[in-house]
Amino acid sequence: MSRISIPLDVVTSRLNFSERFGSVSNIRSNFGNFRSLYEFFDVKRISKPANLAETQSRLNYNLSYFSSNYAAIFAMLGIYALLNNWWLLFFIALLVGGMYGIGRLQGNDLVIGNWHATTTQLYTTLVIIGVPVFFMSSPFMTVFWLLGSSALVILGHAAFLDKPIESAFSEEAV
């Protein structure tokens, strides 16, 4: 059996990661605009909006200005939700670990002593164990809790935090 050698540059040139996923600087620019905690929790700027138009104006400004901070809040609430739902965390670990373990076999049978199991049998066993654990973990309740709590926190912050004074001058000039 002969060994096939494929140069690495031929494979990577066809994948073209920079077009599909963007460059590292693009990712850095999207998540690199975290605002300071002092600016994010500026108590002096918290006030009730006068009407719906002002609420919309605040939401538009704050959602774009603090987008990285809001993404971090969403991620922290997601981690909190996973840590409080052990069944869902177990399901994710079971699924990832099972797929990784079966993938490591590279299509070969699992042999333990005299016992043989094909990859199809292993995947079937993973599904048979995974489906009841999935429904026991109540993932839909966790997702709805995550969406509701993050919407309450993020939209509440964005609606009650007044825009800075500098933004009023930039809007009038435009």
Side-chain angles (χ1 to χ4, degrees), residues 74 81 85 88 137-150:
F74 183 80
N85 190 347
L88 186 59
S137 68
S138 64
F140 301 114
M141 184 181 76
T142 304
V143 167
F144 288 134
W145 179 87
L146 178 61
L147 292 175
S149 62
S150 61

Side-chain angles (χ1 to χ4, degrees), residues 87-98:
W87 280 109
L88 186 59
L89 196 60
F90 174 71
F91 170 73
I92 292 170
L94 176 77
L95 188 68
V96 169

Side-chain angles (χ1 to χ4, degrees), residues 37-53:
L37 290 178
Y38 176 76
E39 188 175 7
F40 190 70
F41 294 116
D42 191 3
V43 182
K44 295 175 185 171
R45 289 183 18 211
I46 293 178
S47 65
K48 182 182 170 194
N51 52 26
L52 186 60

Side-chain angles (χ1 to χ4, degrees), residues 11 20 22 30 43 48 51 61 79 83 87 94 116 132 138 158:
V11 174
R20 292 184 185 193
N30 287 339
V43 182
K48 182 182 170 194
N51 52 26
Y61 179 80
I79 292 169
L83 291 177
W87 280 109
L94 176 77
H116 297 278
S138 64

Side-chain angles (χ1 to χ4, degrees), residues 74-84 146:
F74 183 80
M76 287 187 287
L77 285 172
I79 292 169
Y80 176 79
L82 277 179
L83 291 177
N84 280 318
L146 178 61

Side-chain angles (χ1 to χ4, degrees), residues 36-148:
S36 69
L37 290 178
Y38 176 76
E39 188 175 7
F40 190 70
F41 294 116
D42 191 3
V43 182
K44 295 175 185 171
R45 289 183 18 211
I46 293 178
S47 65
K48 182 182 170 194
N51 52 26
L52 186 60
E54 185 180 350
T55 304
Q56 281 184 317
S57 174
R58 288 182 183 188
L59 284 173
N60 287 336
Y61 179 80
N62 288 330
L63 287 176
S64 64
Y65 189 73
F66 292 113
S67 61
S68 294
N69 296 64
Y70 293 146
I73 288 174
F74 183 80
M76 287 187 287
L77 285 172
I79 292 169
Y80 176 79
L82 277 179
L83 291 177
N84 280 318
N85 190 347
W86 288 97
W87 280 109
L88 186 59
L89 196 60
F90 174 71
F91 170 73
I92 292 170
L94 176 77
L95 188 68
V96 169
M99 296 292 258
Y100 176 76
I102 294 170
R104 293 278 298 179
L105 292 174
Q106 297 177 348
N108 298 326
D109 292 348
L110 176 65
V111 179
I112 301 174
N114 291 331
W115 182 73
H116 297 278
T118 64
T119 55
T120 306
Q121 291 171 331
L122 293 173
Y123 279 121
T124 304
T125 305
L126 187 62
V127 167
I128 288 172
I129 295 171
V131 168
V133 172
F134 175 76
F135 286 113
M136 284 174 38
S137 68
S138 64
F140 301 114
M141 184 181 76
T142 304
V143 167
F144 288 134
W145 179 87
L146 178 61
L147 292 175

